[in-house]
Amino acid sequence: QVQLVQSGGGLVQAGGSLRLSCAASGRTFSSFGMGWFRQAPGKEREFVAVINWRDSKTYYADSAKGRFTVSKDNGQNTVYLQMNSLKPEDTAVYYCATRSGYRYFADLNDYDSWGQGTQVTVSS
């Protein structure tokens, strides 16, 4: 079992930056990587980014490319999501999750353990 604890987030003006953290403990070696998802009010949870544990390969949603960066600190079992040039449409609750499936990196079903979620609000 994997436990994920998120930190970061908050309120920022459009164009600003935030960094989210996700600290993992437990059987992290059984997963392929860590992903980030977000869910805005009234919308489905959507994929944002993912990073592989082994080779640090990353994948991003089109909405995140060029603005968000996912990185990891293996020694701390922590994954970060650096978000720059934030837009009001980035407002959502952001979740990290371990990727244990290997069907498709943006598929929710590939992910099992989830963090508690953290609110990101971008004002215009």
Side-chain angles (χ1 to χ4, degrees):
Q1 195 60 283
V2 177
Q3 295 79 41
L4 304 177
V5 177
Q6 296 181 224
S7 59
L11 174 64
V12 66
Q13 287 189 331
S17 299
L18 284 173
R19 189 176 82 156
L20 307 182
S21 300
C22 179
S25 61
R27 298 172 59 88
T28 57
F29 57 84
S30 64
S31 64
F32 294 110
M34 188 79 77
W36 289 95
F37 288 75
R38 67 186 183 185
Q39 188 165 18
K43 294 188 176 181
E44 293 186 351
R45 193 169 296 189
E46 64 176 10
F47 169 78
V48 176
V50 64
I51 187 166
N52 291 346
W53 291 126
R54 183 177 60 85
D55 58 12
S56 299
K57 196 166 186 179
T58 57
Y59 301 93
Y60 295 92
D62 287 344
S63 60
K65 286 178 183 176
R67 299 188 301 128
F68 294 4
T69 302
V70 59
S71 61
K72 62 182 176 67
D73 180 339
N74 283 342
Q76 299 294 324
N77 269 1
T78 300
V79 173
Y80 305 96
L81 184 67
Q82 177 67 43
M83 303 183 293
N84 299 327
S85 302
L86 283 162
K87 306 174 183 179
E89 50 264 43
D90 294 317
T91 295
V93 177
Y94 284 70
Y95 298 89
C96 60
T98 52
R99 185 186 180 199
S100 297
Y102 217 68
R103 184 168 59 181
Y104 178 48
F105 58 81
D107 188 343
L108 274 168
N109 294 315
D110 266 14
Y111 298 81
D112 45 19
S113 299
W114 291 82
Q116 80 274 19
T118 186
Q119 179 70 45
V120 170
T121 303
V122 184
S123 62
S124 57

